[in-house]
Structures are given as C-alpha cells and as structure tokens.
Amino acid sequence: MQSCEISSDSTDDPLSSDLRTHRQPRIVVIGAGLAGLAATKILLKNGFTDVTVLEASDHIGGRVHSVQLGKATLELGATWIHGANGNPVYHLAEDNGLLEHTTDGERSVGRISLYTKNGVAHYQTNIGKRIPKDLVEEFSDLYNEVYELTQEFFQNGKPVCAESQNSVGVFTRDVVRKKIMLDPDDSESTKKLKLSMLQQYLKVESCESSSPSMDEVSLSEFGEWTEIPGAHYVIPEGFMKVVELLAQDIPSRTVSLSKPVRCIHWNHSAQHQEVITKNPLILGHPIYVECEDEEWITADHVIVTASLGVLKQNHEAMFSPSLPEDKVLAVEKLGISTTDKIFLEFEEPFWSPECNSIQFVWEDEAQLEQLAYPEELWYKKICSFDVLYPPERYGYMLSGWICGQEALYMERCDDETVAETCTELLRRFTGNPNIPKPWRVLRSSWGSNPFIRGSYSFTRVGSSGGDCERLAMPLPYANSTKAPPLQVLFAGEATHRKYYSTTHGALLSGQREATRLIEMYQDLHRAETTKPNM
C-alpha cells in the first residue's frame, strides 16, 4: 500500500487539510513551455506536491527561444507581448522590470505587422526599383480597409458567400483586385504594381498567421481571434526572461529534460501487465506515462501541452486508448504551419538610415492565384527583411520571414546556401550588386523540430473556435461517470479559443487546466466533509 506523505509544514499547505485523508494526487505535466510551466507553478503554489514535468528537448521554454549574440538577444521564437491591458505575460514582464529598456521602436500601438517601428518600409520590385512611398500608402489604405471587412464575418455574423470559399486569402484577393481594376485614376502599370503588392501583403499575412497561405485561413472564423488592448512590446533581454520568471519557483528536481513521452496509457488501459507486476506502485493510478527511455511513470492526472503539430503527427501512437473521434477531428481540422526567421548580420549597413524594412514585391506574380513554389524556388516565399533597431543593441542585423512548405525547404539548406541565396535576393531587389554576404547567419527551424512541428496554430478553412474548445476538453468526458475524472487535460496555445497563436494564450491555458484540478480537489474535500454519519 502506498503511504500518504504529508510535508512537515502542512499547516501552511492549502491542500494539506483536503488531502490528509488521501494520498497526494500524482500529476504529470508534459512539456515545459509557457503552458506547462504556468500549470506547474500554480499547482505547486496551491499545495500539490507530487508534480513532475517531462520535457522532450534539452531546455525549457518550448516555442520561446532567445539567443544571445554579442550584446543582442535575438528571438528565434516568440517575439512580442501582444497587448498590455490584462495580459498576464505583460504584467509578469512589467512587474519584474523587463520592459524598462524597451525602446519606442520596440513598442507598437497599431496593428502589428511583423516588425513595426520608426522609419519607412522600402517596397522593392524584383527588377531593383523602389515603389514610390505615396503609392505604397495608397495601396496600404486599400488593403487595411479590406482587412477590416475580413473581421466582420465572425464579429457581425455576416454570411460567407460561396465565391470566397470561406477563405481569407480568396476573399481578400478577390475584393482588392476588383477595387484596383475599377480605379479610373490608375494607369495599367500602377494597377500591376498594386496587384503585385497584394501578393506580398498576403505573404506577410501568412507569416503572421503561421499558415502556408491565407487561402487556408477560415474567413468565417478569422474575426474571433481577440486582440488584447494596449501596445505590443519586445523584451530587450529576451522573451526567455519570462520563461525564467515562471520557472523560478519550480524546484529543478520537478523538471526532467530530454524526456520524450512515447505513450499515455489512461483509464486503466495498461496492456503491459508484466510492467504492473514488476512495479506495484502502478496499482491505484489510472494512468501511466511510457517514456521513450523505457521508464514508466504513474499518474492520477496528466496535463498534455504538446503543440498541435506534435498532436497531428503523433496522436495515434501517443494515447492508449485512442483519443475520442471528435477530438481527433479537432486536431485534424485546426491548422498549424511553420513561420521561420532568418537573421543576417552585416559588418556595415547597406540600407539607408530611415529604412526599417525591405519588402520583396515580385512583379511577375501579380495575377497568380496560389503562391506555392517548388523546392528550388523556396526563397520566393521570403516576404521581407526587417532592420533590427537600435543598432547600438543589434549591430547591423536584418530579420527575414518565410512560412509554409517553403520554410521547411529552407530548413533543409545549410547556412552557406541560405546566406548566398538571401544575398542574391537583396542584391536583386535593391538593385545594388555590391551588397556583401552577411558574416553571420542564424535561423529558426520550427517545422523540422521533432518536438514542435510548426510555429503556432490557426483556424483553417473548415475548422472553428469550437475545435479549440474540443481540443481543450479533458478526458474522460464528464458523461463517463464510472471513470476517475480529469485524467488527461490539454493546454497550449491551440487550446485557447480567443488567444490561440499567442504566448498569453499558452500561459492562460496552463493556468486553466491547473485550476480545474485545484477546484476538483476542493470539491472532493467538500464532498468528504459533508457525508452524513451512519
């Protein structure tokens, strides 16, 4: 029989009185990203003492990955705190002084578009010409007007017409093209330029949505994603500082790194009776977690914070019994793709001081429908390079953006190939054949990372916010009355209906699942104490 261990300081332990008649529930958290750490932190704070975190990679942070390069901290993963008012990530950063050195250029109050900062975006064509600033502004106003329309389908319950195919990309391209072609004041060459800029804007939008193409993003659901009011912030010392703040009260023995999970056997589904025979501790727990290193860990509750990409690839092998059909459908219907960054460091800037980004506009793509490229043309999906400010902190650094299948093609290339390809692109679009190769290249590889498999989620055509909620639903479902409740819980950005794709969505989802367990044990205790004496 397993003994019930009550810590000596049980009088200060919020759960000790609740659990004095029971053993401490054993909770396993899978993943040490923001969701997993947030869940673990709140569980420990509320007196749960038997908590184990299993992290597949060799570091905590999940899709937060800050890299120190000289004086600069570069973000290979999460970059911004999106909105301030009521954002738990913002308050964590602000309360701990992480935003003291954030410059005006790293604080944006408008709709964020990759890097938004002081200066002017240079829209360059593939024949080395810069598009006039007034033409860019004119087109930008038109595009933003149509972007606002894309929000209205969800927010105002507008019906989606069949021609749009319920796709943000199809709808936007159709409406913007019609408006451009009907403008009586523009010449044919101006119209062509604007049509080419539309394609570039949609590439940027795909990078922001982490979708292969905006054609895959659901128009009817697009407006449900909710922006927290207030500015967007960059953390100069790195987003990893937020991860460290979440982790600082979690004892190091709680977290096991390089510990990938093979299968979660839940609902007393252990097929391997010999394992139970060898390890009597497994008796009395509804779950055991089978790790890749052959260790078996018993649990009463497992909080799964694996990315949607990992669930898509591994859910069949990862759960025994299999996930319910509606949850599998949610995993399959929701979208996740790869958005990667390519950092290029130069000894000297070749761009003018007021230039904040170089946007690549391919004039020969004006009339294309699908922006998908064969592997050898992966670089055509790079939408832009942003200038990192201030140079005192970053040196002379550009950050490029690429998404979709083309990002995976880029990940397969070596650094030398990426450096040469990007240099050729920059020479071609700026019309400056003397741009030197960067002396350093750093890039992300979220798509091929076996423990991540993508950057963040989006509502794909055919999916809805309801799928995020189905993904978040704990197992077994409440109508399975005989089974122990809340065995497998789900957290992570893809499980948050309004804040999917964000760090605050991830953090809040972890807190949500921990709170379910805290409330359950309070309810259990209440039930125990109100039993009539017989």
Side-chain angles (χ1 to χ4, degrees):
M1 187 173 159
Q2 190 173 349
S3 64
C4 171
E5 291 183 8
I6 302 291
S7 59
S8 56
D9 58 348
S10 59
T11 50
D12 300 322
D13 183 334
L15 271 181
S16 61
S17 57
D18 292 11
L19 297 176
R20 202 181 295 278
T21 55
H22 310 278
R23 60 172 170 76
Q24 271 273 355
R26 179 170 289 180
I27 302 168
V28 172
V29 178
I30 297 176
L34 290 173
L37 293 174
T40 304
K41 184 183 174 86
I42 203 167
L43 287 169
L44 294 174
K45 191 178 175 185
N46 281 272
F48 289 81
T49 58
D50 196 350
V51 183
T52 301
V53 183
L54 306 179
E55 168 54 49
S57 73
D58 60 4
H59 58 275
I60 63 172
R63 284 167 271 178
V64 176
H65 191 188
S66 308
V67 175
Q68 200 67 36
L69 213 60
K71 285 189 287 185
T73 303
L74 301 178
E75 303 289 11
L76 289 176
T79 305
W80 291 275
I81 298 172
H82 289 290
N85 303 351
N87 184 335
V89 179
Y90 169 80
H91 293 297
L92 196 59
E94 175 66 12
D95 294 349
N96 289 277
L98 298 185
L99 303 177
E100 285 174 10
H101 301 293
T102 303
T103 65
D104 287 343
E106 294 167 319
R107 189 182 293 110
S108 168
V109 287
R111 175 177 172 242
I112 196 155
S113 182
L114 303 180
Y115 276 91
T116 306
K117 54 193 164 305
N118 302 331
V120 179
H122 286 211
Y123 283 79
Q124 304 282 152
T125 72
N126 54 304
I127 56 170
K129 302 288 186 197
R130 183 177 169 194
I131 300 173
K133 190 165 172 278
D134 58 344
L135 186 64
V136 172
E137 287 171 357
E138 202 177 293
F139 173 77
S140 190
D141 289 344
L142 167 61
Y143 181 87
N144 289 330
E145 185 187 310
V146 177
Y147 177 85
E148 292 304 317
L149 296 179
T150 64
Q151 308 293 292
E152 292 182 4
F153 292 93
F154 180 86
Q155 291 169 0
N156 301 338
K158 277 175 61 174
V160 173
C161 66
E163 297 88 82
S164 73
Q165 298 170 43
N166 194 22
S167 155
V168 173
V170 173
F171 172 83
T172 303
R173 209 163 38 239
D174 187 44
V175 176
V176 174
R177 277 178 175 171
K178 281 176 182 164
K179 286 177 181 286
I180 289 170
M181 297 315 290
L182 291 172
D183 190 331
D185 300 325
D186 281 350
S187 67
E188 287 306 309
S189 60
T190 297
K191 287 177 180 177
K192 186 186 175 189
L193 267 182
K194 286 183 176 178
L195 290 171
S196 304
M197 286 175 68
L198 168 61
Q199 302 286 38
Q200 195 274 341
Y201 269 58
L202 287 171
K203 286 181 193 177
V204 170
E205 206 76 65
S206 298
C207 284
E208 289 198 19
S209 292
S210 193
S211 61
S213 157
M214 292 310 289
D215 290 14
E216 292 196 25
V217 180
S218 171
L219 181 60
S220 58
E221 305 298 315
F222 197 48
E224 184 168 22
W225 188 90
T226 305
E227 187 159 357
I228 290 181
H232 307 272
Y233 295 82
V234 172
I235 303 172
E237 290 181 82
F239 220 105
M240 200 64 194
K241 293 290 179 188
V242 170
V243 173
E244 289 165 8
L245 284 170
L246 280 176
Q248 68 184 8
D249 297 324
I250 300 173
S252 57
R253 67 178 182 277
T254 301
V255 182
S256 294
L257 298 176
S258 302
K259 195 81 172 173
V261 166
R262 181 179 293 153
C263 185
I264 298 158
H265 301 265
W266 59 286
N267 225 12
H268 298 284
S269 73
Q271 303 298 312
H272 300 262
Q273 292 303 317
E274 73 278 5
V275 175
I276 293 179
T277 311
K278 287 179 195 168
N279 188 351
L281 286 183
I282 285 179
L283 295 170
H285 295 275
I287 307 162
Y288 62 95
V289 178
E290 180 186 353
C291 299
E292 291 284 0
D293 64 4
E294 307 298 340
E295 186 181 357
W296 301 72
I297 298 170
T298 59
D300 297 292
H301 312 281
V302 175
I303 302 178
V304 178
T305 74
S307 75
L308 178 62
V310 167
L311 290 177
K312 277 181 181 290
Q313 185 153 32
N314 298 342
H315 73 82
E316 287 181 6
M318 199 172 170
F319 297 93
S320 175
S322 303
L323 294 178
E325 192 177 340
D326 62 337
K327 198 179 280 285
V328 171
L329 272 176
V331 169
E332 289 173 350
K333 287 200 289 186
L334 288 167
I336 185 167
S337 183
T338 301
T339 294
D340 277 326
K341 299 178 194 174
I342 306 168
F343 292 100
L344 306 178
E345 189 172 11
F346 295 87
E347 297 202 26
E348 295 293 331
F350 60 82
W351 53 89
S352 55
E354 95 293 345
C355 173
N356 73 16
S357 64
I358 299 162
Q359 309 283 334
F360 296 152
V361 179
W362 294 86
E363 288 192 59
D364 55 353
E365 293 185 349
Q367 297 299 336
L368 288 184
E369 296 302 316
Q370 281 284 0
L371 293 178
Y373 305 98
E375 184 161 2
E376 66 275 12
L377 297 180
W378 63 264
Y379 56 84
K380 293 192 82 170
K381 195 67 169 287
I382 298 176
C383 58
S384 63
F385 274 94
D386 295 304
V387 179
L388 269 58
Y389 283 119
E392 296 76 36
R393 181 185 299 148
Y394 293 106
Y396 305 115
M397 185 87 67
L398 297 180
S399 172
W401 297 85
I402 185 170
C403 64
Q405 182 62 44
E406 294 80 4
L408 295 177
Y409 295 150
M410 181 277 296
E411 291 180 17
R412 293 177 197 162
C413 299
D414 57 32
D415 282 355
E416 183 65 20
T417 302
V418 172
E420 282 180 5
T421 305
C422 291
T423 306
E424 281 307 313
L425 264 185
L426 289 164
R427 287 171 181 166
R428 178 176 185 171
F429 278 81
T430 60
N432 176 1
N434 300 316
I435 293 174
K437 268 175 61 178
W439 67 282
R440 186 152 41 186
V441 177
L442 183 70
R443 58 209 164 105
S444 59
S445 53
W446 296 111
S448 52
N449 182 326
F451 308 131
I452 306 288
R453 298 287 179 202
S455 297
Y456 42 85
S457 62
F458 66 97
T459 42
R460 193 161 60 186
V461 173
S463 72
S464 71
D467 292 311
C468 297
E469 295 199 336
R470 271 182 283 281
L471 192 57
M473 199 79 72
L475 296 175
Y477 292 153
N479 55 7
S480 310
T481 47
K482 292 179 182 174
L486 300 187
Q487 291 179 44
V488 186
L489 303 94
F490 295 84
E493 53 83 15
T495 69
H496 200 293
R497 183 166 189 155
K498 291 183 183 297
Y499 298 145
Y500 58 85
S501 80
T502 66
T503 53
H504 53 274
L507 187 145
L508 287 166
S509 73
Q511 293 178 341
R512 177 193 70 212
E513 296 312 308
T515 302
R516 280 194 217 265
L517 290 174
I518 292 162
E519 288 173 352
M520 185 183 91
Y521 280 91
Q522 286 172 344
D523 290 347
L524 275 180
H525 174 58
R526 232 171 266 127
E528 287 285 328
T529 54
T530 54
K531 274 183 187 172
N533 292 321
M534 299 298 286

